[in-house]
Amino acid sequence: ALQRYCQDVYRGQLASVHSSARNEELQKLAKTYNKLLSPWIGAITSRREGKWQSYWEDSSPWNFANWAPTQPLHGITTCTTLSVRNGLWRSRFCYQLRPFICQY
C-alpha cells in the first residue's frame, strides 16, 4: 500500500539502499523529520520458493543490507524500517503507520 502511495502521490517508490553511504544519508534525512519513529524503506522479507528471502520492492539487486542483530524476522511477511538512532534495519508488520522514504 505504501509502495502504491509513493507511486501515486509522488511518482516514486519506497527507497532501496545499496551502500552504507546511502544508508547514512537516509538515516540523517529521516532524523530531520521525525526523531522517534523509524521510517519504512522498500525491503520486504517473505517466503519465496520455499525459503525466506529479502528483496527490494523496486526489483533492484539485493547487494547491501544493514540488519540489526536477530533481524530479519522469518515466520511472517514483513516490511522494513531504518532506525533513526543507528541506521539498522528491522522487520515490522507492514500495516503499521510510520513515516516513509520515497525515491524518484
Side-chain angles (χ1 to χ4, degrees), residues 28-77:
K28 284 195 190 106
L29 177 73
K31 213 180 258 178
T32 61
Y33 286 98
N34 193 318
K35 296 223 176 337
L36 298 173
L37 263 187
S38 297
W40 295 116
I41 54 174
I44 304 279
T45 304
S46 70
R47 217 183 156 93
R48 286 178 137 188
E49 290 141 27
K51 55 180 194 286
W52 287 93
Q53 287 179 0
S54 301
Y55 60 93
W56 295 113
E57 289 189 349
D58 66 4
S59 304
S60 58
W62 187 266
N63 52 16
F64 173 82
N66 198 41
W67 295 110
T70 76
Q71 302 287 321
L73 299 179
H74 294 162
I76 180 174
T77 294

Side-chain angles (χ1 to χ4, degrees), residues 5-6 15 23 44 46 49 64 68 92 99 102-103:
Y5 193 81
C6 275
N23 201 71
I44 304 279
S46 70
E49 290 141 27
F64 173 82
R92 303 271 188 220
C102 291
Q103 65 186 10

